[in-house]
Amino acid sequence: MEKNKNTDPKGISQIQKKRKNTVDPTTLVEALCKGNKTALGRAITLVESNNKKHIEEANEVVTQCLKRPTKSIRIGITGVPGVGKSTFIEIFGQLLTSQGNKVAVLTVDPTSSQSRGSILGDKTRMEVLAKDPNAFIRPSPSGLSLGGVTRKTRESIILCEAAGFSVILIETVGVGQNETTVHGMVDFFLLLKLAGAGDELQGIKRGIIEMADGIVINKADGDNLAKAKIAKSEFEGALQLFPPKENGWKPKVSFCSSIENTGIVEIWNIINGYIDKSKETDYFNEKRKQQNKNWLFEAIEERLKSDFFSDSQISKEIGSYVEQVISKEISPFYAADQLITIFKTRS
């Protein structure tokens, strides 16, 4: 007697595998918008995938999510390794959820340039927040993207907003990152600093000061408290040299201790003050519109780069040009120009 494929273990396994690999964007979005964290996680996995079919499904999911009305605050959190970003987010996130906010944390873990592997250990560093029903933590590998911000972080933000999360926190790697990348996808850019670590002078550099909407001296406890107060004064003095933001905001400086849970409420008050001021002048909406425009151009650059390197003729020719550049027979600029010409003639 022939086995029914629906009861045969092998047949069941095949059906389960097929179901696992099949995604109905509309069904996924409906579940996601009801706050289903499993659906949210699966949707983010889709947008992170480089599989052609997954990219098509992800585009449909993101497009549907964009149509959903949302009211969210996007906060970027950056700082050097060891400044205490994860510990700060753990305490900060708990404060937000205790006030009725739904908090999504998108963390970026460094990817090894050799093995391409990542530890993805942020959930273990945020053990309490990870168990909070009103919180969602998603660690992602940084890949080779600038700033330690994954190429798909922007799409992940949209998905989290559609899932009903009112505060989106984006934590960056903090190792040689391009802070402009982070700044270009958030409403408020928070810079964490350390006192007494030789970090003050670096922090006074014009670029980072101009981008930061708020500066927090972290680990302001014990013997570091006095140093933190001095660092706060130094940063406040440096900020006087810069004009206000486009919305009239002057960056605030504060200090806190994630261990002692002090100064956290003040930071949230600073952020709310900034958001209120931005919305009063319509700067909030205008900034979001400009970010969407920038995302379009960056997406075009990514697509062109992907199409270029995946082209069969370029794959055949590029090795020869690399060898000639290495041996200094031709310049990198000439090689690039020739390869682009080859690509354009095939397009």
Side-chain angles (χ1 to χ4, degrees), residues 56-71:
E56 294 174 357
E57 293 169 341
N59 287 336
E60 178 60 29
V61 168
V62 172
T63 299
Q64 290 189 36
C65 286
L66 276 170
K67 299 174 183 177
R68 306 279 174 156
T70 62
K71 291 183 179 180

Side-chain angles (χ1 to χ4, degrees), residues 314-328:
I314 293 298
S315 297
K316 292 178 183 178
E317 300 281 355
I318 197 168
S320 172
Y321 280 97
V322 168
E323 290 299 324
Q324 293 178 73
V325 168
I326 291 174
S327 61
K328 297 183 179 181

